[in-house]
Amino acid sequence: MLKYVISAAMLLGSSSTMATIVEFQTSQGNFQVNLFNQTTPKTVENFMKYVNEDRYQGVIFHRLEPNFVLQGGGFFYEGSIPLSQVESFGTVDNEPVYSNVRGTIAMAKVDGNPDSATSQWFFNLKDNSQNLDVQNGGFTVFGQVIGDGMEVVDKIAKLETCGSIPLVDFSQDKCSDVQVNFDESNFISIEAVTIVDDNENTADTLTPVKNTLLKPDEPDNGGDNNNDSSSSGGLFSLLMLLGAGVFFKRRYNR
């Protein structure tokens, strides 16, 4: 059941208004995220455009890399493969102020293009700062999970995957079948993203870790790490939809 069944548009008034705390209502439980709208304003405004237009309603978590990231914001399952893409509002400027530590949410983007983030984001499942703070101009962290929210995120991160897609009630035998049949209930969906508190000062009590690794004009490593992982974006991700052979790809490296 959805809580707070209130239109985001009614609460926001306009897409330029930036709420501070939002709740992700998912098929595996709800959790809240405090957005850093004062220090990453362009990114939060971009994120809230999608919330305001209900474009995240029904999206799935399409990529799970255990002990690395959980990613969503880019695709819907509408009864068949390939997945349907979220309609994009365009790219947003990179704002690499904060560090990619555990529990933060950051924008995904295209390899080699720091300002290519659109609708997709990921949750850092561990401290990825040594890598993601410096790669591709630094990945923009624009909020953090608060309260006991990481219990829900970790619950999703422990699910079985088919390719990199986290699924419930889905066996590896089914995953290896040439004719893969998915049901809507197999996917981890976001039923809604709702506004909990639109007070711009709610982040004042938080102490997010600053990104101190990225140096001005530092050359990007461009994804030279051996442990390569497709991610997505505004980072189009590693989305290999088995059976259909569809491969949506944007990159970042572990």
Side-chain angles (χ1 to χ4, degrees), residues 60 62 75-77 80-84 162-165 180 182 187 238-248:
I60 66 168
H62 65 266
F75 301 94
F76 301 91
Y77 177 71
S80 63
I81 299 298
L83 298 176
S84 301
C162 187
S164 292
I165 307 172
V180 181
F182 295 105
F187 294 94
L238 151 81
L239 228 218
M240 184 170 167
L241 291 181
L242 309 180
V246 177
F247 190 39
F248 295 105

Side-chain angles (χ1 to χ4, degrees), residues 18-37:
M18 295 175 286
T20 304
I21 298 178
V22 294
E23 182 172 76
F24 284 70
Q25 299 173 0
T26 85
S27 57
Q28 291 291 302
N30 303 344
F31 60 92
Q32 295 182 359
V33 174
N34 203 133
L35 305 176
F36 302 139
N37 52 303

Side-chain angles (χ1 to χ4, degrees), residues 20 34-39 199-208:
T20 304
N34 203 133
L35 305 176
F36 302 139
N37 52 303
Q38 297 297 306
T39 42
N199 182 342
E200 292 186 353
N201 299 317
T202 58
D204 287 352
T205 59
L206 303 178
T207 56

Side-chain angles (χ1 to χ4, degrees), residues 171-216:
S171 69
Q172 288 300 315
D173 287 341
K174 287 183 180 179
C175 183
S176 60
D177 196 324
V178 175
Q179 296 292 329
V180 181
N181 294 313
F182 295 105
D183 183 82
E184 184 176 1
S185 62
N186 296 136
F187 294 94
I188 316 305
S189 63
I190 296 173
E191 295 156 355
V193 179
T194 64
I195 300 163
V196 175
D197 191 338
D198 61 1
N199 182 342
E200 292 186 353
N201 299 317
T202 58
D204 287 352
T205 59
L206 303 178
T207 56
V209 180
K210 289 290 186 72
N211 181 348
T212 60
L213 299 179
L214 189 68
K215 302 298 188 294

